[in-house]
Amino acid sequence: MVTATASIPGFCRIGAVRFIRRISHHQTFRCSTSTPHPLTNDTIQNPSSTKSNHDDASVSANTPSSFFPKKNQTLELECESLAFKGKGVCKVSGTGFVVMCDRALPGERFIGRVTRKKGSYAEVVKLKTLVPHHDLVEAPCEYASDCGGCKMQNLLYEAQVRYKEQQVQELLVHVGRFTKENLEFNPIVPCSIQYHYRNKMEFSFCTDKWLPKDEMIAKEEKRGSNIRNGNDYALGLHVPGFFDKVIQIDKCLLQSEAADKVLTVIQDGWRSQRLDLSPYNVHTHKGFLKHLMLRSGRNVTTGSVEVMVNFVTSSYKPELLSLLVEKISLFPEVVSVVNNVNTSIGNTSVGEEEYILYGKSTITETLRGLTFQISANSFFQTNTHQAEILYKLIEDYAGLRGDGSEIILDLFCGTGTIGLTLAKRVKEVYGYEVVADAISDARRNAMINNISNAIFVQGDLNKISDNFGNDFPKPNVVISDPNRPGMHTKLIKFLLKLRSPRIVYVSCNPSTCARDLDYLCHGVMEKNLEGCYKLTRIQPVDMFPHTPHIECVCLLELC
């Protein structure tokens, strides 16, 4: 059985260290390759890096390659590629030194100011663009320049997917130790719907509305007495890098139009003094409203849109929400209003208790011919349209015979969507997942779809006991869909010992994906891992246009 435990932090640093070692041998350190997420760890150091003796505010073209900038120094930079999380990989003009810059795009030349040094590289903030990037487009969203939700809106969509594809390829080479010549790498699958594709959006209530600098100064001067009022409050998305500041969002181009209508009504009413609603203050831990989650589904009979509204609050006071509930329930699309009560001081939107304020407790969605009930805290693929394509790829890569004789082991199964879509073609599906509510949803979804050959077990795969595997027969196919940190070494060791004929690895983080594929195929001597698989196919999929996130489906076959 699997036992519950916390995942081990920092497990994904190894791939980054190997990445740095490999590219540091290049004389110019061009780093057109994509940098894995762990490069943000301060623990990664490059002993050969030396601090600069330059006191100038800028760098000349004759700067030596040993140059290392000082904090607050301004640099002339050119962005060469995009790295994990969409940061621009840039090179200091006239040197080989690499810096990372948020919102810098390939081909762009600009002036940047160093904000901090991170071992062998530095991070900068963009001050002024000298030459714009060649794929520049006008972002349709008014919040695009400040909101961190979809920071790539001003990059031509065809360029977005091109750089994502390049990033996956180069991570496989530099972190995964694969060669392009011996790898069947398929072009990335773009998303045909680039707006209104998200079926779930989470907004935060805040006591401190974020404003551009000039507006903030004017507000402080006008306020004088520093008395707060409802005009300071905000409902929207967090400013990148700030846990206590929120950008007011009145309309989001990523969610459904029906959800946008609901958001507008709530924005128009929640600050009314008559309602006596206060946003939660993350510093004082006082206040009522924490989050607003909007989920969209479809009625399986009519095909019409269904919207669930989830208010996350610090306590249960339904009378405070009654007028808002009355207004939003007038929309025919709103079929569910729930209240998750979270009394902790953390920023999570999952409540300890859930109450139904209007309608039903779930909404429905269809995927690959099956019906799924989605509760407020269920995991479900956020882009239903693209999930159809993703799950078809998973089925193709699984290579099922379809005679009902095979066993599938579904790791990190969530609400069971992948396993259930394959269950009718196999003998049995065994799914494992740490979230108890997700397992409950998976079992309920199996019953709804009359599937009796799927068994779902709750437990943490980051720490499995030695007898894990005794409760299911040897699988013909393993499907692994871990979260961003990837798989723990204990699970990888188990898979190498299990020696299933095929593993379909589904990843939302190409950096940890490349690392895990390396372990499974090439092994690591110091970790006592002996690889026994061959990576035969890999398919990137763009699930989230205008964001840096990348999904990959990988097929590994036993050597």
Side-chain angles (χ1 to χ4, degrees):
M1 296 294 291
V2 283
T3 56
T5 185
S7 61
I8 296 179
F11 176 60
C12 58
R13 295 176 186 170
I14 299 168
V17 172
R18 184 182 302 150
F19 178 84
I20 291 176
R21 286 175 180 169
R22 284 175 177 266
I23 61 178
S24 63
H25 287 95
H26 293 275
Q27 186 175 2
T28 59
F29 196 32
R30 285 185 57 84
C31 199
S32 60
T33 54
S34 302
T35 308
H37 169 52
L39 277 177
T40 58
N41 285 307
D42 289 325
T43 54
I44 300 174
Q45 301 290 333
N46 184 346
S48 64
S49 297
T50 57
K51 293 185 178 181
S52 169
N53 293 321
H54 294 271
D55 293 324
D56 300 356
S58 59
V59 179
S60 70
N62 297 321
T63 305
S65 59
S66 60
F67 161 77
F68 202 101
K70 293 181 178 181
K71 187 176 181 180
N72 295 323
Q73 188 170 4
T74 56
L75 308 169
E76 183 178 327
L77 302 165
E78 180 175 356
C79 181
E80 295 195 347
S81 65
L82 295 179
F84 187 64
K85 288 194 173 181
K87 289 191 175 183
V89 180
C90 311
K91 192 170 63 176
V92 178
S93 179
T95 79
F97 189 79
V98 170
V99 300
M100 308 290 287
C101 182
D102 202 20
R103 299 186 183 276
L105 296 169
E108 181 179 9
R109 292 181 64 86
F110 63 97
I111 301 296
R113 176 172 54 82
V114 177
T115 55
R116 57 179 175 173
K117 295 178 285 185
K118 304 271 291 185
S120 61
Y121 70 103
E123 292 186 355
V124 303
V125 61
K126 183 164 57 175
L127 300 179
K128 178 184 178 182
T129 296
L130 302 176
V131 179
H133 59 92
H134 44 271
D135 289 315
L136 178 69
V137 295
E138 184 176 352
C141 177
E142 61 182 296
Y143 312 108
S145 60
D146 302 310
C147 170
C150 42
K151 62 178 69 175
M152 297 168 66
Q153 271 194 34
N154 61 341
L155 181 63
L156 186 71
Y157 181 66
E158 289 75 12
Q160 292 181 31
V161 292
R162 185 169 66 246
Y163 288 119
K164 288 181 179 183
E165 180 180 305
Q166 174 188 333
Q167 183 183 143
V168 175
Q169 283 184 323
E170 294 179 338
L171 282 169
L172 286 171
V173 172
H174 291 287
V175 176
R177 298 189 293 173
F178 296 96
T179 60
K180 293 182 180 180
E181 294 75 19
N182 298 325
L183 189 65
E184 184 182 331
F185 187 94
N186 296 316
I188 190 170
V189 177
C191 185
S192 60
I193 301 175
Q194 285 129 42
Y195 292 99
H196 305 297
Y197 62 79
R198 287 189 65 97
N199 56 40
K200 175 185 174 183
M201 284 293 296
E202 182 180 313
F203 304 96
S204 295
F205 293 93
C206 183
T207 56
D208 193 6
K209 180 195 294 184
W210 180 88
L211 294 172
K213 186 176 180 180
D214 292 342
E215 292 183 34
M216 180 64 71
I217 293 173
K219 185 185 80 169
E220 293 297 330
E221 291 176 348
K222 183 177 180 180
R223 187 162 59 190
S225 60
N226 203 34
I227 298 175
R228 304 195 67 83
N229 55 60
N231 293 328
D232 295 311
Y233 298 160
L235 169 60
L237 300 174
H238 282 274
V239 181
F242 291 90
F243 74 98
D244 58 349
K245 293 186 183 297
V246 163
I247 301 172
Q248 175 81 12
I249 302 291
D250 296 316
K251 180 180 181 181
C252 180
L253 295 181
L254 295 190
Q255 68 179 355
S256 71
E257 294 180 358
D260 253 347
K261 292 178 183 178
V262 174
L263 177 62
T264 298
V265 170
I266 295 174
Q267 289 283 30
D268 289 343
W270 77 274
R271 294 178 189 80
S272 171
Q273 293 183 356
R274 186 163 61 98
L275 298 183
D276 194 29
L277 291 172
S278 61
Y280 185 76
N281 188 309
V282 294
H283 296 288
T284 65
H285 309 302
K286 295 180 180 179
F288 179 62
L289 293 170
K290 286 189 168 184
H291 303 285
L292 171 69
M293 184 186 297
L294 301 176
R295 303 194 75 152
S296 301
R298 283 178 294 175
N299 184 294
V300 294
T301 303
T302 65
S304 59
V305 175
E306 293 186 335
V307 175
M308 170 185 282
V309 182
N310 177 17
F311 291 100
V312 182
T313 61
S314 61
S315 58
Y316 181 54
K317 297 179 180 178
E319 67 279 5
L320 295 181
L321 295 170
S322 59
L323 287 179
L324 277 181
V325 173
E326 183 179 337
K327 286 185 176 181
I328 60 180
S329 61
L330 295 176
F331 286 100
E333 298 93 341
V334 175
V335 299
S336 172
V337 182
V338 302
N339 178 198
N340 268 251
V341 177
N342 186 318
T343 61
S344 71
I345 63 174
N347 201 32
T348 178
S349 60
V350 178
E352 299 118 15
E353 300 287 342
E354 182 173 302
Y355 301 91
I356 310 302
L357 303 182
Y358 170 80
K360 53 186 182 177
S361 61
T362 62
I363 56 177
T364 56
E365 184 58 279
T366 57
L367 185 60
R368 301 283 296 157
L370 300 182
T371 299
F372 293 92
Q373 286 190 0
I374 306 169
S375 59
N377 297 316
S378 296
F379 170 79
F380 192 80
Q381 286 288 345
T382 313
N383 184 342
T384 309
H385 170 81
Q386 199 72 336
E388 290 277 354
I389 296 172
L390 180 73
Y391 282 25
K392 178 62 167 62
L393 283 167
I394 294 171
E395 181 178 351
D396 291 345
Y397 278 29
L400 300 174
R401 294 191 294 269
D403 58 3
S405 64
E406 295 169 290
I407 304 294
I408 288 180
L409 176 60
D410 188 5
L411 303 176
F412 310 95
C413 66
T415 54
T417 50
I418 295 177
L420 291 174
T421 58
L422 302 177
K424 292 185 178 179
R425 300 191 61 198
V426 300
K427 183 178 180 180
E428 288 178 319
V429 174
Y430 293 85
Y432 287 82
E433 166 64 40
V434 65
V435 180
D437 287 345
I439 290 295
S440 297
D441 288 342
R443 292 168 179 167
R444 183 173 66 250
N445 288 326
M447 292 178 60
I448 292 171
N449 292 283
N450 298 315
I451 295 173
S452 58
N453 62 334
I455 300 167
F456 296 102
V457 181
Q458 189 269 331
D460 194 339
L461 291 164
N462 284 326
K463 189 176 182 181
I464 55 176
S465 60
D466 292 338
N467 63 350
F468 180 65
N470 294 343
D471 296 328
F472 53 83
K474 182 176 179 178
N476 303 90
V477 182
V478 174
I479 296 174
S480 183
D481 187 10
N483 54 14
R484 297 194 185 283
M487 296 193 296
H488 194 278
T489 46
K490 283 198 171 186
L491 182 58
I492 292 175
K493 285 181 179 179
F494 167 78
L495 292 175
L496 291 173
K497 182 180 178 181
L498 182 67
R499 297 178 69 86
S500 171
R502 293 185 299 283
I503 296 176
V504 180
Y505 190 119
V506 186
S507 168
C508 59
N509 181 343
S511 175
T512 54
C513 174
R515 178 207 63 200
D516 291 350
L517 296 178
D518 179 29
Y519 289 173
L520 290 165
C521 294
H522 307 130
V524 181
M525 185 177 299
E526 56 266 32
K527 289 186 172 293
N528 196 27
L529 297 176
E530 185 176 348
C532 61
Y533 282 92
K534 180 181 179 181
L535 178 61
T536 56
R537 298 169 70 186
I538 182 165
Q539 176 67 71
V541 180
D542 187 25
M543 296 290 291
F544 306 107
H546 314 301
T547 78
H549 302 297
I550 312 170
E551 202 90 8
C552 292
V553 183
C554 314
L555 175 61
L556 297 105
E557 296 181 302
L558 192 65
C559 294

